[in-house]
Amino acid sequence: MFGDMMGMMNKIKEAQHKVEETKKRLDTVLIDEKSIDGLLEVTVTANSHIKSLQISDELLEDKEQLEDYLILTLNKAIQRAKEINEAELAAAAKDGMPKIPGMDMFK
C-alpha cells in the first residue's frame, strides 16, 4: 500500500515538474496577431506577455482609432495565447498524473 502511495506521490511530483517546464517553454511560443487591415501587428507569448507592437503611421494620426485597434488586436492575441496555454498545461498535467480509479479529472 505504501509503495503504491509513494509511486503516486512521485508521479504527482513528475506532473508538477512537467507543468513547470511547460510554463517556461510557453514563454518562447510566440503568437502573431494583426488587425484586419494590417495597420497594427502584435506579438505575444503563450503566457500572454506582449513581445512587440508594430503600428502604422496612419494610426498615429488618430488617437481613438489607435486605442480601438490596440484593444481589439491585443484581446484577440491574448485569447489565442490563453487557449494555447490552457491546452498545453492540461496536456502536461494529464500526462504526468497517476491513474487513480474514479479520479479521471482530465478527459
Side-chain angles (χ1 to χ4, degrees), residues 6-95:
M6 288 301 293
M8 279 195 274
M9 293 301 290
N10 286 335
K11 283 285 232 181
I12 290 171
K13 284 182 185 179
E14 256 180 62
Q16 288 173 333
H17 181 70
K18 283 184 180 184
V19 167
E20 290 305 315
E21 285 179 348
T22 300
K23 285 180 183 178
K24 287 179 187 173
R25 184 178 57 77
L26 289 173
D27 275 331
T28 66
V29 175
L30 300 179
I31 297 142
D32 297 314
E33 189 66 52
K34 292 182 182 183
S35 61
I36 293 172
D37 55 11
L39 296 177
L40 177 70
E41 296 180 36
V42 300
T43 302
V44 298
T45 68
N47 283 328
S48 299
H49 294 113
I50 299 169
K51 296 301 273 186
S52 69
L53 291 169
Q54 291 85 41
I55 302 170
S56 167
D57 289 340
E58 182 180 326
L59 287 177
L60 296 176
E61 298 168 9
D62 185 343
K63 181 181 182 282
E64 284 184 34
Q65 184 181 17
L66 175 57
E67 289 170 347
D68 289 343
Y69 271 63
L70 284 167
I71 290 168
L72 291 171
T73 308
L74 284 167
N75 280 335
K76 284 195 312 187
I78 290 168
Q79 181 60 38
R80 286 181 54 209
K82 180 182 173 185
E83 291 167 1
I84 291 169
N85 185 292
E86 288 174 356
E88 292 286 326
L89 290 177
K94 179 181 179 180
D95 186 44

